[in-house]
Amino acid sequence: MKNRWIALYVENDVGVLAKVSGLFSGKSYNLQSLTVGTTEDETVSRMTICVASDDITFEQIKKQLNRMVEVIKVIDLTNVPLHMKEILFAKVLRCTTADKEEVFQIAQVFDVQVADIGKDSVLLECKLTERRNNELIALLRSKFRHIEIVRGGAVAIESISTSCR
Amino acid sequence: MDITGRKLFVRALQEEGVDTIFGYPGGMVTDVMDELYKQQDIRLVLPRHEQALIHEAEGYAKSTGKVGVCLVTSGPGATNTITGLADAHYDNIPLVCFTGQVPLGLIGNDAFQEVDIVGMTRSITKYGVTVRSRRELGKIIKMAFHIARTGKPGPVLVDLPKDIQLMPGDAHYPQSVSIRGYKPNEGVHVGQLKKAYKLIKSAQRPLILAGGGVLLGNAQEELRRLAETMRIPVVTTVMGKGALPSGHPYYIGNSGMHGRYAANIAVSECDVLFSIGTRFNDRITGDLNEFAPKAKIVHIDIDTAAISRNVVVDVPIVADAKLALEKLNEWAEPKNTKRWLEEIRALDKENPLEMRRDKGMTPQMVMEGINAAFDRGIITTDVGQHQMWATQYIELNEHKKFITSGGLGTMGFGFPAAVGAKIANPDQPVVCITGDGGFQMNMQEMATAIAEDAPVIVCLLNNQYLGMVRQMQQLFYGKRYEATCLRRRTTCPPNCKGPNGACPPYLPDFMQFAKAYGAHGIRVERETEIAAALAEAKSYTDAPTVIEFLISSDELVLPMVQGGNPMSKMILK
Ligand SMILES: Cc1ncc(C[n+]2csc(CCOP(=O)(O)OP(=O)(O)O)c2C)c(N)n1
Ligand SMILES: [Mg+2]
């Protein structure tokens, strides 16, 4: 079992998201994340899907997706150079002044923005890789008891040149 | 000039060459129904239940190769089709099912008889869509027929909101449609096929496993040629039965859970398994680790997703069965398989499918009688022991078709499927082999059969039990016959272990049932009466006949492989 990535071009129609996600639940595939949005062609949506599976299941998932009428193209991103980012908001609550100071430092180290601030809370806006976001969450968890996390799921696009990963 | 949606609907069906539609009315389809009233090209069949409606369309489609067309209303009309659609999905039967829907503006309001039928059937249809603008209506109907019949066939659902049916719009019905996400495989990879051929050629003990795809692809002739030229024995799946005539010298029998002994051993012993048009369902493979353990496997299927899903294969080939076999036949050369064939024949002698004559009227004798009475025609079955006996003992040739519910195993399928097949083939005898349980699930269709002049012959094997389940209780659950005795009433003792003299009478009386509908009823209690009963039934062309065969309650379907066991581990006695 490992995480694998798929980019899926689908018809931008009612019910297509339900159909794709229904495949994962109906066949007990282990969906990790799924994001969707329109593309340069407004009749086409692109999904970025992360799934945890073994090799055989992953092949089967790609085939099952491929045979859906609404699916235009399946791209296996697992071994493709990518740009991949996930949006994440992290709110640290019930902060002391010292806590705030520490959050600022963390923001600096992780190179993320402080998007908002209140009497005893700080909001971080992060646009990192999924893994880096995981690390950030782990760190915040270890330091603060009261945090609120919202994650968007990763979106990915193939690199233009293989060097700029 | 613009026309209404309902007019375009009928025009579309006419242009698709639809001659029959299975329809049940309701508030959300009264407009298209009204339009059908005004024309003569398309016959509307009125079933008595929407589940049966779908099975009738399946029988129609399977017996003709045409798309079965269905029309039902929204809400309960639509939900009643679900079992049928699932059945068609698992057995790859081309259907287009139109469901009425509440007007677009009411969708989402929990309006009267509103259900999200597209959502409910997403995983059991090949494609499903709600028509959301009048402009798209023609294109969507064209797509529906195209998707249903091409590639691996299947059911397509088109949800028609009431206001779309009334709205004026383009009168044009497109001649063709291109769908960017749907490109069925049309070619065949010759390199892979060469590999497959080399493998068969080098084999000492080659075996062909033919599935339903051979029949769907109309490749029986090509299969026969390959088997004959290369002298390769053939086994079939339940759905593949009939891919080779059952009397053919190279035909061994069905493999799988209730397969023939020699067929299952041949699968276990072969060194190359050439499989075509099967998805290696668990009823065929048993324990996957021990399936065809000595064989290199070639797998040809039109569905990419069927390949290397259940069984890891050595040579996967995505192709239409007929195309692939035609190509192979160009190369095919005779092989020497004499010893292998002899070995298989010896296995079959060891444990043949016996024609049991040991106690009264056995189910085998009924099958034998049906074989003798019909050398052409269509045979449908329901689901249960009688179905398995039929798959084991019914003999098929080029003039006989076998229609059964394989993938979903839907009780209630057999009788309506027969009615649908008879409507499509009035000149052919149509026989339905059914059980006393499953027949009761759709026997209201007797009215349809009478009304539509579809004089089918129902061979009802009455064992007074849900026999298939009873068999499991008998063998594996200490004869605790929970919920399988169809004579049981509240007056019965709680822990009954089988019939005795004090049992209540069986309900219903199927002879009175037949009479109530104006059908013929014949009750057969002794083996000596089988032939005469079938002859009598054949002589009735005015109405259906129900022949009730009173068979013993404790008959078993053997051989049997218990679910999850290897196919070589058969219970024989
Ligand atoms: C709709 C449906 N419900 C339940 C089952 C489970 N099932 C399979 S065979 C069977 C018994 C069928 O009894 P009958 O029609 O009398 O046939 P027999 O096995 O006795 O020949 C049952 C309950 C099924 N296949 N389909
Ligand atoms: Mg029964």
Side-chain angles (χ1 to χ4, degrees):
Chain A
M1 290 282 263
K2 62 176 201 203
N3 278 358
R4 301 147 199 273
W5 296 88
I6 294 170
L8 197 67
Y9 285 99
V10 298
E11 297 289 345
N12 182 10
D13 281 342
V14 184
V16 177
L17 175 60
K19 181 149 185 181
V20 170
S21 59
L23 177 81
F24 284 85
S25 59
K27 299 206 181 272
S28 290
Y29 300 145
N30 200 344
L31 186 62
Q32 299 290 325
S33 87
L34 187 158
T35 60
V36 57
T38 49
T39 62
E40 66 283 357
D41 175 349
E42 67 187 23
T43 68
V44 177
S45 299
R46 174 162 160 152
M47 298 184 180
T48 304
I49 296 174
C50 178
V51 46
S53 75
D54 56 35
D55 290 346
I56 293 177
T57 312
F58 188 56
E59 281 310 307
Q60 186 54 217
I61 291 172
K62 286 188 284 179
K63 288 175 182 174
Q64 291 286 348
L65 288 169
N66 240 322
R67 82 176 181 175
M68 285 184 182
V69 174
E70 300 89 339
V71 168
I72 301 164
K73 202 166 159 194
V74 183
I75 305 172
D76 181 353
L77 297 179
T78 312
N79 296 312
V80 175
L82 295 173
H83 292 272
M84 188 184 299
K85 286 283 175 332
E86 182 194 29
I87 197 103
L88 174 151
F89 284 111
K91 212 185 262 175
V92 183
L93 303 153
R94 301 197 208 168
C95 300
T96 61
T97 316
D99 287 344
K100 281 190 191 167
E101 204 48 52
E102 196 163 2
V103 176
F104 284 4
Q105 274 176 20
I106 291 172
Q108 219 166 26
V109 172
F110 275 77
D111 197 17
V112 300
Q113 260 192 336
V114 177
D116 203 355
I117 189 158
K119 207 164 79 231
D120 61 351
S121 55
V122 185
L123 176 67
L124 299 182
E125 178 186 309
C126 321
K127 201 174 66 199
L128 303 171
T129 62
E130 228 192 358
R131 177 179 305 161
R132 196 79 179 129
N133 278 341
N134 287 341
E135 287 166 9
L136 177 63
I137 294 169
L139 181 65
L140 292 173
R141 274 224 175 93
S142 71
K143 303 253 177 198
F144 311 102
R145 286 201 37 209
H146 304 286
I147 57 174
E148 212 180 294
I149 302 286
V150 184
R151 308 182 68 157
V155 293
I157 192 161
E158 299 88 325
S159 301
I160 296 171
S161 65
T162 41
S163 56
C164 62
R165 250 193 111 159
Chain B
M1 203 191 71
D2 281 2
I3 60 172
T4 53
R6 55 186 250 180
K7 280 213 160 64
L8 181 64
F9 171 83
V10 172
R11 175 174 296 178
L13 298 188
Q14 286 166 336
E15 295 209 10
E16 289 295 336
V18 174
D19 52 26
T20 307
I21 142 167
F22 298 86
Y24 205 96
M28 295 303 129
V29 290
T30 44
D31 287 287
V32 287
M33 287 281 184
D34 187 50
E35 209 60 53
L36 286 165
Y37 181 87
K38 299 177 185 164
Q39 55 79 48
Q40 300 304 321
D41 305 340
I42 304 167
R43 167 178 179 188
L44 187 113
V45 173
L46 174 69
R48 297 306 193 256
H49 188 296
E50 289 93 345
Q51 182 196 346
L53 179 153
I54 302 284
H55 296 326
E56 275 156 29
E58 290 182 278
Y60 171 93
K62 267 222 111 164
S63 63
T64 57
K66 291 192 261 187
V67 176
V69 183
C70 313
L71 173 64
V72 300
T73 193
S74 65
T79 53
N80 266 350
T81 65
I82 288 182
T83 302
L85 291 172
D87 188 86
H89 186 62
Y90 286 111
D91 285 345
N92 310 301
I93 299 173
L95 298 184
V96 173
C97 178
F98 295 96
T99 52
Q101 182 57 283
V102 300
L104 283 169
L106 283 186
I107 293 181
N109 287 12
D110 286 353
F112 178 64
Q113 297 194 333
E114 176 201 349
V115 298
D116 174 17
I117 193 64
V118 172
M120 288 176 183
T121 56
R122 213 163 259 142
S123 60
I124 50 163
T125 50
K126 192 171 169 188
Y127 182 65
V129 62
T130 301
V131 182
R132 283 173 198 277
S133 82
R134 168 64 184 81
R135 196 171 37 81
E136 290 180 328
L137 180 63
K139 188 186 111 194
I140 286 178
I141 298 178
K142 187 80 213 173
M143 271 175 76
F145 277 90
H146 176 64
I147 292 170
R149 75 173 136 233
T150 53
K152 183 170 177 164
V156 174
L157 187 136
V158 180
D159 199 27
L160 288 176
K162 172 109 171 163
D163 45 348
I164 300 278
Q165 300 171 33
L166 296 172
M167 218 178 279
D170 197 353
H172 177 69
Y173 183 66
Q175 287 304 302
S176 65
V177 66
S178 146
I179 309 162
R180 56 185 165 186
Y182 179 74
K183 300 271 177 288
N185 290 302
E186 271 164 0
V188 47
H189 193 296
V190 177
Q192 282 295 89
L193 212 55
K194 280 226 165 86
K195 257 202 224 162
Y197 180 69
K198 273 204 191 119
L199 210 55
I200 313 170
K201 203 161 156 46
S202 67
Q204 304 291 309
R205 306 145 84 84
L207 184 69
I208 295 175
L209 169 64
V214 173
L215 299 165
L216 285 169
N218 238 322
Q220 296 93 311
E221 191 46 40
E222 289 73 14
L223 181 84
R224 191 183 54 73
R225 265 188 55 201
L226 184 73
E228 284 176 0
T229 315
M230 298 192 76
R231 301 180 186 134
I232 306 175
V234 176
V235 301
T236 52
T237 67
V238 164
M239 294 312 286
K241 187 178 166 72
L244 203 64
S246 30
H248 195 282
Y250 291 156
Y251 183 59
I252 311 173
N254 277 332
S255 68
M257 182 177 247
H258 291 294
R260 202 175 176 112
Y261 174 79
N264 278 341
I265 299 293
V267 172
S268 301
E269 290 298 319
C270 67
D271 63 355
V272 169
L273 184 66
F274 177 86
S275 53
I276 179 160
T278 168
R279 60 172 173 256
F280 290 117
N281 161 296
D282 53 292
R283 296 266 152 147
I284 292 300
T285 62
D287 180 1
L288 279 172
N289 297 317
E290 299 205 32
F291 177 70
K294 303 177 181 168
K296 291 239 185 288
I297 302 179
V298 175
H299 186 192
I300 302 179
D301 201 282
I302 196 159
D303 179 12
T304 330
I307 289 179
S308 293
R309 170 164 52 182
N310 302 332
V311 169
V312 182
V313 302
D314 300 274
V315 185
I317 300 171
V318 179
D320 170 69
K322 193 179 185 112
L323 215 67
L325 287 169
E326 270 171 0
K327 197 89 213 143
L328 283 168
N329 276 325
E330 286 175 19
W331 307 326
E333 279 173 20
K335 283 178 65 69
N336 184 354
T337 53
K338 203 156 163 259
R339 283 223 347 242
W340 172 227
L341 287 167
E342 275 166 10
E343 209 177 307
I344 293 173
R345 279 179 200 131
L347 284 168
D348 199 47
K349 271 221 181 84
E350 215 175 287
N351 282 301
L353 272 181
E354 272 173 308
M355 185 47 66
R356 292 212 2 260
R357 303 183 195 285
D358 47 338
K359 52 170 191 183
M361 182 169 65
T362 63
Q364 286 81 1
M365 289 170 174
V366 178
M367 300 300 145
E368 185 183 42
I370 295 171
N371 284 334
F374 301 95
D375 56 4
R376 66 184 193 102
I378 298 162
I379 294 172
T380 74
T381 85
D382 210 77
V383 170
Q385 289 186 310
H386 61 277
Q387 175 191 32
M388 292 299 117
W389 288 315
T391 61
Q392 291 177 330
Y393 290 93
I394 288 296
E395 287 162 8
L396 295 180
N397 59 30
E398 299 80 358
H399 311 294
K400 279 203 222 170
K401 271 208 168 77
F402 190 75
I403 301 177
T404 192
S405 168
L408 196 67
T410 313
M411 280 173 73
F413 170 85
F415 180 47
V419 174
K422 184 70 184 177
I423 286 169
N425 302 273
D427 301 333
Q428 297 225 28
V430 176
V431 178
C432 165
I433 300 173
T434 188
D436 51 319
F439 184 58
Q440 290 188 62
M441 282 203 180
N442 268 322
M443 66 181 182
Q444 79 285 346
E445 291 312 301
M446 190 55 88
T448 317
I450 298 268
E452 295 294 335
D453 190 18
V456 300
I457 298 172
V458 178
C459 294
L460 195 166
L461 273 66
N462 190 350
N463 54 8
Q464 313 189 350
Y465 272 90
L466 301 173
M468 199 66 186
V469 183
R470 187 205 136 99
Q471 168 162 345
M472 288 192 270
Q473 293 168 330
Q474 194 170 332
L475 295 176
F476 312 122
Y477 291 88
K479 301 194 175 178
R480 293 183 294 278
Y481 296 127
E482 181 72 10
T484 48
C485 176
L486 295 180
R487 277 203 285 179
R488 186 169 177 79
R489 298 191 191 181
T490 50
T491 48
C492 292
N495 47 5
C496 170
K497 295 257 162 153
N500 60 57
C503 292
Y506 189 91
L507 286 179
D509 179 331
F510 288 110
M511 296 300 102
Q512 287 196 51
F513 158 81
K515 197 162 162 229
Y517 280 90
H520 303 280
I522 307 171
R523 185 170 275 151
V524 176
E525 296 182 43
R526 268 174 294 276
E527 59 273 29
T528 48
E529 302 160 6
I530 297 174
L534 286 162
E536 184 185 340
K538 274 170 83 173
S539 74
Y540 296 135
T541 51
D542 59 328
T545 307
V546 178
I547 314 178
E548 184 187 22
F549 296 94
L550 299 181
I551 60 168
S552 151
S553 289
D554 55 6
E555 291 286 351
L556 296 175
V557 181
L558 293 172
M560 168 177 194
V561 179
Q562 207 182 345
N565 275 347
M567 278 302 150
S568 52
K569 206 174 149 196
M570 276 168 274
I571 302 170
L572 293 165
K573 291 238 150 47

